Amino acid sequence: NGEISFPWILDGWYWSPEIKQLEGIEGVQILEGWEYIGWHTRPFQFVQHMYDQRRVLKSQGNGAEKALKLALNSLYGKLAQRSGWKRAGGAPKWHELSWAGWITSYTRAMLYDVLKRIPPEHLIGVETDGIYTTYNPALLDIKNSKELGGWEVTSYQTMLYLQNGVYSLQDYKGDWTTKYRGL
């Protein structure tokens, strides 16, 4: 009927990062799993090198770092791209939902791993790739990291959080930043 439901029992396709978060939970049963083992080279090996290059440029104040940032950010977008099929007469050149799905799963699993350790009264909001909380990240064994895939920890003096993607943050110098994604 076009309604959204959340069934207690279901089966489907799930990626390993999220499945690992379910290990040890009563009632979870994994029926089968598939693993690709024929790698000669790993896809996206170049990402670490580009990320390292960007970090160096950013530390030098070189604006070229933005080009690398946008290039890295666009990788996922091109993998998940669904538009352009009619014009191109088929799937976009870089369309690869299996890789896009794994990236999404990995990010969700990282978020879930932290979320399940934050007392609910300390949770403010969850964004696509971040968490706003009043809980001390050090108590969660999270440290500020500049490494690829690491957590960035930023503290704010004040926050006005209206909904996902719509909020204002005040740093400790008193400066405000407003985010309004999607508006």
Side-chain angles (χ1 to χ4, degrees):
N1 298 331
E3 297 174 358
I4 296 174
S5 67
F6 299 95
W8 288 100
I9 299 173
L10 59 109
D11 63 34
W13 291 74
Y14 306 95
W15 294 103
S16 59
E18 289 172 292
I19 291 298
K20 288 176 184 172
Q21 292 295 320
L22 298 175
E23 289 177 345
I25 296 178
E26 187 177 336
V28 173
Q29 181 183 15
I30 298 170
L31 302 177
E32 70 177 311
W34 296 2
E35 178 182 8
Y36 184 78
I37 56 174
W39 300 109
H40 296 290
T41 60
R42 299 296 289 187
F44 307 108
Q45 268 178 225
F46 64 92
V47 169
Q48 182 69 56
H49 178 69
M50 280 181 74
Y51 182 82
D52 292 340
Q53 279 185 305
R54 177 179 175 247
R55 255 193 341 192
V56 168
L57 292 171
K58 190 173 180 179
S59 71
Q60 296 169 346
N62 187 330
E65 64 91 10
K66 293 286 189 208
L68 291 176
K69 177 183 181 176
L70 293 173
L72 289 166
N73 287 350
S74 72
L75 289 174
Y76 174 82
K78 294 308 282 182
L79 294 172
Q81 181 178 347
R82 292 179 181 250
S83 62
W85 288 63
K86 283 184 181 179
R87 190 175 57 244
K93 184 175 183 177
W94 303 106
H95 178 77
E96 183 54 66
L97 288 181
S98 58
W99 287 344
W102 191 91
I103 292 166
T104 300
S105 175
Y106 186 83
T107 304
R108 279 195 306 239
M110 285 182 66
L111 289 168
Y112 181 69
D113 180 54
V114 172
L115 283 170
K116 66 186 178 184
R117 296 182 280 140
I118 296 174
E121 64 273 15
H122 289 278
L123 183 62
I124 297 170
V126 182
E127 300 292 326
T128 305
D129 59 356
I131 300 169
Y132 289 108
T133 180
T134 58
Y135 203 66
N136 184 346
L139 297 174
L140 301 168
D141 199 30
I142 294 176
K143 297 169 186 67
N144 192 37
S145 173
K146 298 290 184 196
E147 298 303 315
L148 181 62
W151 286 97
E152 179 182 331
V153 177
T154 307
S155 295
Y156 299 98
Q157 180 174 311
T158 307
M159 177 179 206
L160 172 62
Y161 191 89
L162 300 176
Q163 68 179 36
N164 290 84
V166 183
Y167 50 86
S168 290
L169 307 165
Q170 183 185 34
D171 63 23
Y172 286 96
K173 292 185 267 177
D175 297 328
W176 285 87
T177 302
T178 301
K179 303 283 184 179
Y180 40 89
R181 291 184 184 97
L183 293 180

